[in-house]
Amino acid sequence: MNDNFTEEITPLLIEWRRTLHQNPELGFMEYYTTYRIGKELEKLGFIIHVGVDALESASRMGVPDEPLLTEQENKALHWGVEESWMEKMRGGNTGVVAIWDAEKNGEHIGFRFDIDALPIKETDAKDHFPSNHGFRSQEDGVMHACGHDGHTAIGLGLAHFIAQYNDSLTGRYTLIFQPAEEGGRGAKAITDKGWLDEVDQFYTGHIGINPYPVGTIAATTRGFLASTKLNAHFKGVASHAGMKPEEGKNALLAAATAATQLYAIPRHSGGPTRINVGKMSAGSGRNIIPEASYLEIETRGETKEINRYVLEEAKRTLHAAAMMHDVEVMIDFVGETEEIECDDSLITTITEACQSSNYVTEVLPFAKVSGSEDASFMTNTVQNNGGKATYMLFGTELPYGHHHPAFDYQETVISVAVDAYIHILKGGMSHE
Amino acid sequence: MNDNFTEEITPLLIEWRRTLHQNPELGFMEYYTTYRIGKELEKLGFIIHVGVDALESASRMGVPDEPLLTEQENKALHWGVEESWMEKMRGGNTGVVAIWDAEKNGEHIGFRFDIDALPIKETDAKDHFPSNHGFRSQEDGVMHACGHDGHTAIGLGLAHFIAQYNDSLTGRYTLIFQPAEEGGRGAKAITDKGWLDEVDQFYTGHIGINPYPVGTIAATTRGFLASTKLNAHFKGVASHAGMKPEEGKNALLAAATAATQLYAIPRHSGGPTRINVGKMSAGSGRNIIPEASYLEIETRGETKEINRYVLEEAKRTLHAAAMMHDVEVMIDFVGETEEIECDDSLITTITEACQSSNYVTEVLPFAKVSGSEDASFMTNTVQNNGGKATYMLFGTELPYGHHHPAFDYQETVISVAVDAYIHILKGGMSHE
Amino acid sequence: MNDNFTEEITPLLIEWRRTLHQNPELGFMEYYTTYRIGKELEKLGFIIHVGVDALESASRMGVPDEPLLTEQENKALHWGVEESWMEKMRGGNTGVVAIWDAEKNGEHIGFRFDIDALPIKETDAKDHFPSNHGFRSQEDGVMHACGHDGHTAIGLGLAHFIAQYNDSLTGRYTLIFQPAEEGGRGAKAITDKGWLDEVDQFYTGHIGINPYPVGTIAATTRGFLASTKLNAHFKGVASHAGMKPEEGKNALLAAATAATQLYAIPRHSGGPTRINVGKMSAGSGRNIIPEASYLEIETRGETKEINRYVLEEAKRTLHAAAMMHDVEVMIDFVGETEEIECDDSLITTITEACQSSNYVTEVLPFAKVSGSEDASFMTNTVQNNGGKATYMLFGTELPYGHHHPAFDYQETVISVAVDAYIHILKGGMSHE
Amino acid sequence: MNDNFTEEITPLLIEWRRTLHQNPELGFMEYYTTYRIGKELEKLGFIIHVGVDALESASRMGVPDEPLLTEQENKALHWGVEESWMEKMRGGNTGVVAIWDAEKNGEHIGFRFDIDALPIKETDAKDHFPSNHGFRSQEDGVMHACGHDGHTAIGLGLAHFIAQYNDSLTGRYTLIFQPAEEGGRGAKAITDKGWLDEVDQFYTGHIGINPYPVGTIAATTRGFLASTKLNAHFKGVASHAGMKPEEGKNALLAAATAATQLYAIPRHSGGPTRINVGKMSAGSGRNIIPEASYLEIETRGETKEINRYVLEEAKRTLHAAAMMHDVEVMIDFVGETEEIECDDSLITTITEACQSSNYVTEVLPFAKVSGSEDASFMTNTVQNNGGKATYMLFGTELPYGHHHPAFDYQETVISVAVDAYIHILKGGMSHE
């Protein structure tokens, strides 16, 4: 095998990353992003499944409203997305699943790359690398502030390797370019389509998270919590607060009652739990009994079962708060993640495979993380079907942290990740 | 007519008052009190209806528990109540309704006297009149601290007048000796039996309340609020707070949530409302999630409708608080009163009738009061059937206020009230 | 006197009303409105006091933020307001007080007209009178939706009468064109300047409110509640809800706790109270412990003292809610009104004076209203200094109600009001 | 050494246990218990420190009220406690610390035995061992329901061993007979006196807790949480809820608000926390705004620091709830424990030492427990000063669980514990 692959493809990795960074798209609206990824994979000879063929449409969570979708669809068409592609994506069905069969017996290996951006206005500070290198976001208020532009580039780099080195490969490869990771909205829809059911090894991961130096990677992670994201809409009856206080049904009070009570959900002896009401809005005018209110909520638990406990308590609390103030409540589930328990056996696999990498300088057995990841649906499905799965980290300095308007990372981490993945592939094959 | 009647009966009035004071009985347990009243009325020639014949048993509210009833029944039997009388009263069916027909055409006039005592330990202070005159309560923790001993004496005095002056009377007289006025528990049961349905004029009242001098009476009152008294029992599941916090169903929190929310029931534009949680108890030990809790609640409103509004809000709040903490709630209705709107036309009737009284020195057209009175069920029934009704006050100094362990009043107010009532009777007749 | 004055000035009244309607300005930003009123009054010979000369700048409440003020000032200058006038108004000091001395002994009579518009987008429905008569608001999102355009026209009409009939007048006239009535923000600043201190009779009022037919007026009103409008800003500390829940200071919870507790402020036995939290917003993202929150609150009471009680309870509640969640709270007082108790003696004055009016067809002795009015500061000051004051209503049909995007009224009510006021003036003089 | 010591002393151990069981005394009122322990130790030749000489009086928590103390003191005097002893104990200063110096160089070893009983009425069921063996509690409502009678017997047995085998011992021995372990009230006062400051090895433990068979012991325990026990008394102002709602200061609402808010104290990322309000009472009568209320609270945290976090949040919450309802709050700290982290190195020490015991059949390296123990103050002080400490368990069947009216244990566990301790002593010495 040509050990210079990573070095040679690096300029392309950077070019992909930068053009993606310039054209960020929000979750379930990655029309142009999907199109560009898909065209590249098609060119390489992958069998691709796009949009409604890639995901189970009904399993998506937190799909944007119709007008927003339409606006972005029109924009994407204007940018050159072909109508035949748009047909498969229209209505927020984005993402690509690419299949490669090496036509020699071997394991089925899956990879996942998330492709969506965030509703953040990118800084125009002079010392911001994308700004002073000419690839700052061109979409106002949308930004690749979590590194998914890099993840996508990694996936494309890996695809090139597979296509180029087919002859020396065995088994089957499934490359998932997943929409709407932010908010835990997209992975379940991909998973429900069955792509992970027969995968023997599954790899995914994130650049950054912990600020390791470039070259350091973590073979596994510990600490992703199961979580559910939900919104509650309370609907009451407005009334003049001075003249007819008894005729109002106070939606603000229902939301306020719910908020204070949600934090009082009892602790669980089985492990940590979390609850947060991150946002609230209610009411229209000072002297009107508020007719409507809105809460953004997140539950977490160490395991899916513990999160389920918090969630069930939260649902009852919301309904009781509505009953308390005689209003109605509608609950939207807009995101969900499970816990991730990486297979420790992959620590050795990865560590040994990467020993010959020129890019990976150190493999940590595990990294402590927190927060939530919807790749958990994939890792758990793989493991439930007898496969092995891990969630890796790829080190880079992080001057500003994820989701910050000035978020940035060292671009060489992209090459490190590609090189790690192809060494894992090669390592896996050398086991044959 | 003999104008010296009141003067002549005064010693008897005082004797009655004092023996009643010495033997106080709580609401729905006035077995001995009922027996003594009934025997006296029977002797005078009244047709009497006792216990289950006097009230609608199922309409009683806040009936004491069985063991308490039994204990008091045995005590009453021991004190000499005849078994034939006890048969009609057993199980908390106390009170007497006495009918007198003057056998000459005339109006049907009703009077009501309440006869129950309070769960208060009477002071043994040397300067307390009942103490230093030898008629302090002989029942530990039970006391006539609201003057119903006087009310009963007034009723007996009036009965004597009616029996004695039958020849100069016309019409029909219904004298109600009502149990369980405290807590608004007894009047509805009497009323539901139908005694008030054909009454043309209805008089009741209270000694004291406002501290007018003896001799001053008020022909009507304004301000009694409709009210409902209820108890809420929450039942959850205990659990060790340290080891299994998630297994508890917290009845203390349900009660606390209910309490804070009850006070937030919206104001009503139609008139004043009130809500109070007067008592709360919950839990067993510091490290146990509380399994049970208890609230004593009172709602009030300017009218029956407004009180109903508060009550409905309160009920929903209690159920929602239970739902919030996944516990059960049982609500007991233990008392109820309606608003009282006295007939202004009786102001003239009373004022004129009392002009010739040697006891009544001044008739106020109305007195402002607050609080609640279950005589309201009677006044409203009379008025709904076309009759007239009033609630009067009979002045006395009040050094300590009603329901105080040292409550006392000037005994001459009893004679004033008797004389007012018989002048009203005579006045009514002179109108014929 | 020429009894045709009102008829003759009616076209002018309508013209004024319509141009004012087309150019609405929000409270404390009535720069152009003030200028136009002031120029007209100056022309008539009134001594005028503009802006900082008309009001006590520090007594204003709820003054808009600097950038908003500047924007509107520039607009007004562009529209032709002279710089010498702007100097007196800059920074939100709007309004005019106009003085006329008839130079013959007589009473000092005050009138008040409010001049501000509302932040409401006027309907463009075809059947909306201002739309189909070409004088719909030209300011997007600003509308005279409460009739203050009419009030201003009434004031100008009355000014014309005074100037024209000076010879037949006695005493002194103070005409107040008050800014920022909406939200109860402007009257106190005018009052604090002392204009009302020596007024013998004070008249103000409103067109509409109750839907009486045109021609019907009410001499007095009953029911305006004292009120205070306040905003609370809570400031806590953000933290990642999953990773560091213990490091957050939750401003959302502080606001929610405050809201639920504010409604539980105890009822007052002295008279009705009201409390409302009309608006709440808090938080930034689902998984962030909310750093900031905001409440819009209104307290009311039957009297200034009762409102003060509610307000003090509300302030303590807000501070306690902040303490509860370890955050800071800043309270802005953005509006205040007192109760209005009209002088009943003016009922006769007004009724008799208007008997000879061709426009006033019926004078109701009083109208029941609710809500709040900052003219209360003026009526109370006049009365505290020995004068008499009233708040009148001038009937008109009201198809949509005040503050509605399609609010409108019958323009002839303007003439009715002018005619009522000038008859009151004439009536007052004929008493001499 | 005589290996038959334990066998020979067993009848005495059982006699002590049973007489103690018959005469149980509550925490800080163990006057007679202290006297009996002290007399026995004095007889054996120990230097003893009693009452105020044994503990730091001001460091005691949750001391019973004066009248209760006096009553028990009189009872103890009546039972034969000498006045000279009572002088040192009066006012709730109970417990004994006994010192033995072997007068040969060696380690300083400390032991602690807790001696108090519980406010529980012992069952008189026929199948209850103490009942059918004639040593049921003679104090109504007081019971050794947690095995401290056995603990005391173990301590006396160990003291006998030390006295008897002095010649073969080295170093110094401190035997602590601690009062008021229940509620975590006594250990801190003993510790603050300095007894643990120079101890090299510290042993304490509990019979039961986990239901191991007799003969099985655990060398260490894991899981005791740091905790604080506190009571909150709210004091407001009563008022008639119907007549003067605005004059009340509602202590019930303050307590209810505190309760609901306490459970909402944020989770801590550092480890588990707990909060519980185990008991609440408030108010006097249905129509009275409650003047007083009371809460029993417990905070817990994995470590002293995390518990401190919960406690500080709880304190602020209580004060804010008081401020919210304009009442006063007084907080009593009635108990405190720290976490216990046993020295793992003692696992080997104990396991090896007990290999030659005829009583100990199995040594578990550690037992998982929960709940709280105030011996933590002692273990932490020893460890902070460079010593080693452990908290052991001594197995016994537990048909009813601790604190149950029918609690009982297998008496042979006492001999097992004595034999374990003396083997540890001998093992320690054989190390020299």
Side-chain angles (χ1 to χ4, degrees), chain B residues 394-415:
Chain B
F394 305 103
T396 169
E397 282 175 22
L398 291 170
Y400 286 98
H402 296 260
H403 297 206
H404 189 281
F407 173 78
D408 192 34
Y409 54 90
Q410 294 167 283
E411 282 179 330
T412 49
V413 68
I414 300 173
S415 305

Side-chain angles (χ1 to χ4, degrees), chain A residues 167-382:
Chain A
D167 293 350
S168 57
L169 294 174
T170 63
R172 189 178 169 84
Y173 302 88
T174 296
L175 273 56
I176 295 166
F177 292 82
Q178 177 206 311
E181 187 277 334
E182 299 294 348
R185 300 176 292 141
K188 191 166 190 297
I190 295 278
T191 308
D192 284 2
K193 199 73 171 187
W195 303 114
L196 283 311
D197 295 353
E198 295 175 0
V199 161
D200 298 304
Q201 293 176 41
F202 179 77
Y203 298 90
T204 187
H206 214 291
I207 62 180
I209 306 280
N210 294 358
Y212 305 127
V214 167
T216 295
I217 69 172
T220 64
T221 44
R222 297 183 184 169
F224 282 122
L225 297 174
S227 74
T228 304
K229 293 106 169 58
L230 55 155
N231 298 335
H233 302 263
F234 293 92
K235 181 82 176 59
V237 175
S239 180
H240 190 285
M243 295 164 68
K244 289 287 175 191
E246 74 276 14
E247 291 184 0
K249 311 280 187 195
N250 197 321
L252 183 150
L253 275 187
T257 299
T260 55
Q261 298 279 348
L262 283 168
Y263 285 90
I265 290 174
R267 274 81 168 154
H268 196 290
S269 64
T273 57
R274 297 284 186 273
I275 179 93
N276 195 49
V277 180
K279 232 177 181 174
M280 171 166 173
S281 63
S284 56
R286 187 185 307 280
N287 63 347
I288 306 299
I289 293 180
E291 183 183 13
S293 62
Y294 170 71
L295 296 179
E296 289 188 9
I297 303 163
E298 187 179 61
T299 66
R300 298 185 200 236
E302 192 177 72
T303 63
K304 190 162 69 167
E305 287 66 35
I306 295 177
N307 179 56
R308 174 74 39 193
Y309 157 77
V310 183
L311 180 62
E312 290 304 315
E313 293 285 304
K315 282 158 62 181
R316 201 192 55 250
T317 300
L318 290 165
H319 284 291
M323 181 186 176
M324 183 81 76
H325 297 283
D326 209 9
V327 305
E328 286 168 21
V329 63
M330 203 190 63
I331 303 175
D332 283 344
F333 294 92
V334 297
E336 193 176 347
T337 70
E338 300 184 340
E339 73 273 26
I340 292 182
E341 221 169 315
C342 297
D343 284 285
D344 280 353
S345 68
L346 292 179
I347 297 174
T348 315
T349 307
I350 293 167
T351 308
E352 291 183 355
C354 292
Q355 265 164 354
S356 56
S357 163
N358 293 324
Y359 288 84
V360 178
T361 51
E362 184 180 9
V363 181
L364 303 172
F366 67 90
K368 280 208 77 169
V369 296
S370 69
S372 303
E373 244 294 350
D374 67 355
S376 49
F377 285 106
M378 299 180 182
T379 60
N380 289 325
T381 298
V382 167

Side-chain angles (χ1 to χ4, degrees), chain C residues 83-101:
Chain C
E83 176 55 35
S84 63
W85 284 65
M86 185 56 80
E87 268 166 31
K88 290 184 177 299
M89 299 191 287
R90 198 163 265 125
N93 294 290
T94 46
V96 193
V97 176
I99 310 290
W100 187 275
D101 194 334

Side-chain angles (χ1 to χ4, degrees), chain C residues 212-264:
Chain C
Y212 304 129
V214 168
T216 295
I217 68 171
T220 66
T221 44
R222 297 182 184 170
F224 282 121
L225 297 174
S227 74
T228 303
K229 293 107 168 59
L230 54 155
N231 298 335
H233 302 264
F234 293 91
K235 182 82 173 61
V237 174
S239 180
H240 190 285
M243 295 165 67
K244 290 286 175 191
E246 73 277 15
E247 290 183 2
K249 311 282 187 194
N250 197 321
L252 183 151
L253 276 187
T257 300
T260 55
Q261 298 280 347
L262 284 167
Y263 285 89

Side-chain angles (χ1 to χ4, degrees), chain D residues 390-429:
Chain D
T390 190
Y391 192 99
M392 303 170 66
L393 293 193
F394 304 103
T396 168
E397 282 176 22
L398 291 170
Y400 286 98
H402 296 259
H403 295 208
H404 190 282
F407 172 78
D408 192 32
Y409 54 89
Q410 294 168 282
E411 282 178 332
T412 48
V413 68
I414 300 173
S415 305
V416 172
V418 168
D419 209 56
Y421 281 156
I422 67 182
H423 275 80
I424 289 168
L425 281 200
K426 291 193 283 186
M429 285 174 293

Side-chain angles (χ1 to χ4, degrees), chain C residues 14 33 64 75 92 99 105 116 126 187 190 220 247 297 303 351 361 368 374 410 414 423:
Chain C
I14 288 175
T33 306
K75 206 182 270 186
I99 310 290
N105 272 349
D116 55 325
K126 295 236 173 70
I190 296 279
T220 66
E247 290 183 2
I297 303 162
T303 64
T351 309
T361 52
K368 280 205 77 169
D374 68 353
Q410 295 168 282
I414 300 173
H423 275 82

